[in-house]
Amino acid sequence: MITFKEAYAKVLEHTVDYGTEQVSLKDAVGRVLAVDVKSDRDFPPFNRATKDGIALSFSAIKNGQDSFKIEAVIPAGNPTIELKETTSCVEIMTGAVVPNSTDVVVMYEDISIENGIAKLQKVPTQGQNIHLKGSDEVKGAVVLHKNTLITAAEIGVLSAVGSAEVLVKKLPKITTIATGNELVEVTEVPLPHQIRKSNINSLCAALLEEHIVAKSLHLKDSKEAIKEALEVALQNNDVLLLSGGVSKGKFDFLPVVLEELGVEKVFHKVLQRPGKPFWFGIHKKTNTVIFSFPGNPASTFANYHIYFKDWLTESLELPVTANLVVLNENVENKGTLTLFLRVKITFENGKLIANRIKENGSGDLTSLANCDGFIKVAPNQNTYLKGDTIPFIKTRRVL
Amino acid sequence: MITFKEAYAKVLEHTVDYGTEQVSLKDAVGRVLAVDVKSDRDFPPFNRATKDGIALSFSAIKNGQDSFKIEAVIPAGNPTIELKETTSCVEIMTGAVVPNSTDVVVMYEDISIENGIAKLQKVPTQGQNIHLKGSDEVKGAVVLHKNTLITAAEIGVLSAVGSAEVLVKKLPKITTIATGNELVEVTEVPLPHQIRKSNINSLCAALLEEHIVAKSLHLKDSKEAIKEALEVALQNNDVLLLSGGVSKGKFDFLPVVLEELGVEKVFHKVLQRPGKPFWFGIHKKTNTVIFSFPGNPASTFANYHIYFKDWLTESLELPVTANLVVLNENVENKGTLTLFLRVKITFENGKLIANRIKENGSGDLTSLANCDGFIKVAPNQNTYLKGDTIPFIKTRRVL
């Protein structure tokens, strides 16, 4: 059996580049940018008024002038108008092009207007309320870098530079597969010895947050049926996420069947809890990656977040971040397994505090809804003390 | 002009309950649960084997027995089988029902099997590897509480208790509205005095992350056209998010038109930067809430996250959390405006560190893509020192 550290490293050795695809701007949210995006013009594209008021030449103020004839009005969206006389002014609106013959904008709040003459109430500063052409970005500058996650702010920038279509990283095609005769549909009333499918629904929901619409499959414990279905699934998917059927049981056909189908086992079983019987492999012929998780709810859920999430993040060339949180109580792990303990995160004075929650083993489904993630407790350790930091793997959005 | 604190309080005074709707389980991710969900059976529903191995009666071990005849095999998903002799055992698979006549499961790793006889390699503990019926939750217990955000973990619980349909909070119908003659479509090449629409695309992207598919509208600076369009928009929406046209400009028709249409102004202008000319009102006749943001990119973006997000969160009865982060440099604000400064968050030893980024005023669009959110710097303050905590408003997922 390999250590958690070894298993994690092996999973991340098998990231895959799924190439790129063009999507429309509105479909780009949550996707990863596949190219540097450059501005097609200066940002802002002209000297832009940032206040409503008047534009004038500062030289006139230096000459002691404080009243200015209004020559014209420049709304946003109109070509600009130059001053006829440097001793005059124009009314100008926020977002309009500041005339080249002017170099200061005074807002309405700081002037009075009577009979077409604007009078200053206070002395302005040269250049004020003008957002200078190219001061944010110059034409041709990279405004968004390749491998950036596209959120609302990036959509704003993409819009501004005219990216109606965006080149993004392709996402893997995924099928989630539940195994086990004990499983029935959510709509069914289970017999006493049956339970409803929950793991693959949970996985599909988690994948949806990654903008991946996964398919689902349920395989009964028949070796032939499993083999037939997996053969097709390997052809049609980039990733298979399986739940159950990988332990020591008499009907745990997955490891054998996967190898019969030519899937190369990278490892089976990891010194960790929950999630020990995790089987990981790759099918070189179809370039399919197989995450075969043990079927206990906490095992599937933990391993998805511990391994698959970082594997996906690295496959998309986003940065994998290791986050530390502060322990709210002493924790020890004298055993040989890396432990993943459920915690709820609270915020205290800018610190992330990990509070352990009541949990009842690998099968405990409801505690997963009460936690924000897992702390990773390394094996063979002295006690971690309250106040120490410890690695944290989130299972929901924390901040 | 009112203070930020007053404005924020007034916005949150106008939250709205949009009622509930039934959605299918797969559409429930990201929605807010509108009822307590109870378990329809014990969790787990039976004494469940958590390992593959043999089940036997501990009394036999106490009597010094260490070899057990295997009477049968119990797969998961089958009705259980009781022991005929208390001195025998059954093979049992993970997820199967543990016979009532047994009280310990020993995993295959700790036994050897020869000629139908299982021999213990080490002495087990009574009750081990049995996940006791009802030990996570008893039938009828509330497993998920009303006003819970549904994520992958909750989908697992909803599946397990048979909630194929889920009662969730309805989301408001929203239209985002850009105003201004200077705006052209993302697909167009703007004339020198024009810019592409970016704010409402950014708002729609942000709303999509709240699972709200918003409509968009662009209004030119014509009072009549604006009035006509807004009259229809008020009828068809729960919320209008407007960008631009609320300042002192000659073509800033929105405040007047909104009031002519019977929208009650709650406030106009807030002592804050960016986002000062924010106009907020409600249309009692149609129960529409109007957030009319100033049109500078940072102003619209900041006010959406500062006001609208918390308004939505409280309308959905989710908890609004105030997060503190640790300053990485001294910050002062001797003026009368509450300042919202762009920061990037880094994690250091379990602490959230706020690092200010280069920004270039309200019009600076690209800096919004470089920041994680805003720190809120209260007015008339002494200097905040490096290491002090300060409130943080996120504009993207931080953890």
Side-chain angles (χ1 to χ4, degrees), chain A residues 215-258:
Chain A
K215 295 215 169 95
S216 291
L217 216 58
H218 175 204
L219 304 179
K220 294 291 180 86
D221 294 325
S222 141
K223 198 179 162 191
E224 293 65 37
I226 290 177
K227 193 165 179 180
E228 211 171 294
L230 285 184
E231 192 160 17
V232 178
L234 287 170
Q235 297 296 330
N236 298 334
N237 290 280
D238 298 312
V239 177
L240 301 182
L241 296 182
L242 294 114
S243 175
V246 286
S247 199
K248 280 265 187 194
K250 278 193 144 46
F251 310 98
D252 290 348
F253 300 121
L254 281 182
V256 170
V257 169
L258 285 167

Side-chain angles (χ1 to χ4, degrees), chain A residues 131-147:
Chain A
H131 189 187
L132 285 176
K133 182 174 192 279
S135 62
D136 296 342
E137 304 291 347
V138 292
K139 181 177 171 172
V142 174
V143 288
L144 292 174
H145 289 274
K146 190 183 164 176
N147 301 338

Side-chain angles (χ1 to χ4, degrees), chain B residues 7 35 46 60 83 88 93 113 121-122 144 147-148 154 209 216 254 259 266 269 272 294 323 328 336 355 375:
Chain B
V35 279
F46 45 80
L83 289 181
S88 306
M93 303 304 130
I113 298 183
Q121 310 286 359
K122 61 182 199 182
L144 292 173
N147 301 338
T148 295
E154 287 76 17
E209 296 190 37
S216 292
L254 280 182
E259 291 187 57
V266 177
K269 294 188 179 168
Q272 69 173 80
N323 291 308
N328 202 19
T336 54
N355 308 278
I375 50 169

Side-chain angles (χ1 to χ4, degrees), chain A residues 379-390:
Chain A
N380 309 309
Q381 293 289 315
N382 290 323
T383 305
Y384 293 85
L385 296 175
K386 176 175 175 167
D388 286 352
T389 56
I390 195 162

Side-chain angles (χ1 to χ4, degrees), chain A residues 115-135:
Chain A
N115 300 323
I117 306 290
K119 193 171 188 319
L120 301 181
Q121 310 286 0
K122 62 181 197 182
V123 180
T125 322
Q126 191 170 13
Q128 83 178 22
N129 299 326
I130 300 175
H131 189 187
L132 285 176
K133 182 174 192 279
S135 62

Side-chain angles (χ1 to χ4, degrees), chain A residues 6 15 17 19 103 131 333 356 398:
Chain A
E6 289 164 334
T15 56
D17 180 349
D103 55 1
H131 189 187
N333 181 14
R356 287 190 63 186
V398 174

Side-chain angles (χ1 to χ4, degrees), chain B residues 59 155 172 207 234 309 362:
Chain B
S59 62
I155 291 289
L207 288 166
L234 286 170
K309 274 283 304 261
S362 303

Side-chain angles (χ1 to χ4, degrees), chain A residues 40-41 46 48 52 91 135-136 152 154 160 192 194 196 202 249-250 296 323 350 352 360 396 398-399, chain B residues 40-41 46 48 52 91 135-136 152 154 160 192 194 196 202 249-250 296 323 350 352 360 396-399:
Chain A
D40 66 332
R41 57 204 306 225
F46 45 79
R48 181 177 159 280
D52 305 305
E91 277 187 79
S135 62
D136 296 342
E154 287 76 18
Q194 296 176 324
R196 296 187 183 97
S202 186
K250 278 193 144 46
N296 279 319
N323 292 307
L352 298 160
N360 194 18
R396 68 177 70 233
V398 174
L399 177 66
Chain B
D40 67 332
R41 56 203 307 223
F46 45 80
R48 182 178 159 278
D52 304 305
E91 278 189 80
S135 62
D136 297 341
E154 287 76 17
Q194 297 177 325
R196 297 188 183 95
S202 186
K250 276 194 145 47
N296 279 318
N323 291 308
L352 298 159
N360 194 17
R396 69 176 71 234
R397 193 184 301 199
V398 175
L399 178 66

